[in-house]
Amino acid sequence: MPSAARRRLEMLFNLGYLATIWGLVIAMRRRRAQVAPADAPAAERLQEAFTLLAVGDTAHLALRAVSLGRGPGRGYLTWRGRRAGLIGLGEMATSITITLFYVLSLDAWRLRFQRPWDRVSKTLLGLSGVRLLMLAMPFNNWDRDETPAGWGVDRNIPLLMVGASEIALMRRDSDRTGDRTFRAIANAMAASFACYLPVVLFARRIPQLGLLMIPKTVAYLYMAFRVYVDLFRGTASPNPVGNGHSDAHTQPVAVAARP
């Protein structure tokens, strides 16, 4: 496919994604008064999580579109004599917001199943902090359009650890309580990481793997859709706290994204 046609398809997909995710976020905000009281704490955190996701992806895709529109060698900003690549800045934004997305979704899990901030959840918060520190390091080369080879993998390790842990915690508690909403979230998270991991590890050698970012993005849209339908339209399964379990306080985007 010619590069011009490929860019048009990419732009159409990205615009469709942004319109959908922002539509769901706005709909969540408008219907937050209709959320069942038992669902409200987790619903609020998830609304915040998807709002951050939408903000970061909007910055990423908008700056990427401007860079591509300017043409080769012109996709940068200059400030006080320093150049910064538009694509790199957008990818920095989405890398930060996806990290915070998993912090908020961790808190949503905690509120949903009435878990305390225990050793496991605090460790995941610490790993998220490590990830943010790694994103602040100069090795990221955010002023360029190309991901650094080794560091581009290393900085994703904490995110993968946090994501895998959240998937396990959500699946454990949702299976125990019959919570279909959080089971769906966990399954979609697992699908997104299954698509993302090959891109992180092998896309430099096999560029076609970048197409896996499309189903990864769709997985996040599915998450947002299930959260909206189940929690904000009153069709969620009964709150897990009321399902007879006495151990409630025991223990758990973009086609060219570069998180």
Side-chain angles (χ1 to χ4, degrees):
M1 181 184 299
S3 59
R6 187 164 56 243
R7 285 198 298 270
R8 282 195 295 271
L9 284 176
E10 178 183 333
M11 183 172 294
L12 286 173
F13 177 83
N14 291 340
L15 288 173
Y17 162 70
L18 291 178
T20 305
I21 193 68
W22 275 113
L24 288 168
V25 165
I26 293 169
M28 289 178 196
R29 185 170 181 83
R30 287 181 174 175
R31 293 189 60 90
R32 57 186 175 176
Q34 281 74 49
V35 176
D39 294 334
E44 181 181 354
R45 287 296 178 274
L46 290 169
Q47 178 199 325
E48 294 167 352
F50 284 106
T51 300
L52 266 180
L53 182 73
V55 168
D57 286 348
T58 298
H60 172 213
L61 296 174
L63 291 173
R64 178 176 175 81
V66 171
S67 177
L68 293 175
R70 286 187 173 186
R74 301 181 61 192
Y76 62 88
L77 294 174
T78 303
W79 186 69
R80 293 187 177 182
R82 301 193 59 165
R83 284 176 44 157
L86 294 174
I87 291 178
L89 290 174
E91 289 173 347
M92 178 181 67
T94 197
S95 296
I96 293 170
T97 53
I98 196 64
T99 306
L100 298 177
F101 173 90
Y102 280 96
V103 171
L104 290 170
S105 61
L106 174 68
D107 198 31
W109 157 80
R110 187 185 66 82
L111 292 168
R112 181 69 164 176
F113 299 100
Q114 294 192 355
R115 302 295 188 184
W117 283 111
D118 58 10
R119 190 185 320 178
V120 172
S121 52
K122 288 178 180 178
T123 298
L124 297 181
L125 279 182
L127 285 170
S128 299
V130 170
R131 155 86 168 173
L132 291 173
L133 286 175
M134 294 178 77
L135 294 177
M137 296 295 178
F139 319 117
N140 291 286
N141 294 338
W142 297 122
D143 57 335
R144 304 177 189 174
D145 291 347
E146 193 168 327
T147 306
W151 190 251
V153 174
D154 294 343
R155 72 187 181 204
N156 278 289
I157 293 174
L159 181 66
L160 293 169
M161 293 172 67
V162 171
S165 299
E166 285 193 34
I167 291 164
L169 296 174
M170 288 182 183
R171 277 304 304 258
R172 183 197 65 188
D173 286 345
S174 62
D175 287 346
R176 180 184 303 165
T177 60
D179 190 309
R180 293 189 296 271
T181 304
F182 272 73
R183 184 185 296 126
I185 292 172
N187 290 342
M189 282 184 179
S192 72
F193 277 105
C195 293
Y196 183 55
L197 190 57
V199 176
V200 172
L201 296 176
F202 307 118
R204 188 175 293 269
R205 283 178 285 171
I206 310 173
Q208 293 83 355
L209 286 175
L211 291 173
L212 287 173
M213 298 303 284
I214 294 175
K216 172 187 175 291
T217 301
V218 172
Y220 282 100
L221 286 178
Y222 174 73
M223 271 188 258
F225 177 77
R226 281 299 300 262
V227 167
Y228 172 66
V229 170
D230 289 359
L231 301 183
F232 290 85
R233 292 189 63 86
T235 60
S237 56
N239 190 283
V241 177
N243 285 357
H245 295 286
S246 60
D247 61 343
H249 292 280
T250 62
Q251 207 355 350
V253 114
V255 175
R258 187 177 69 169

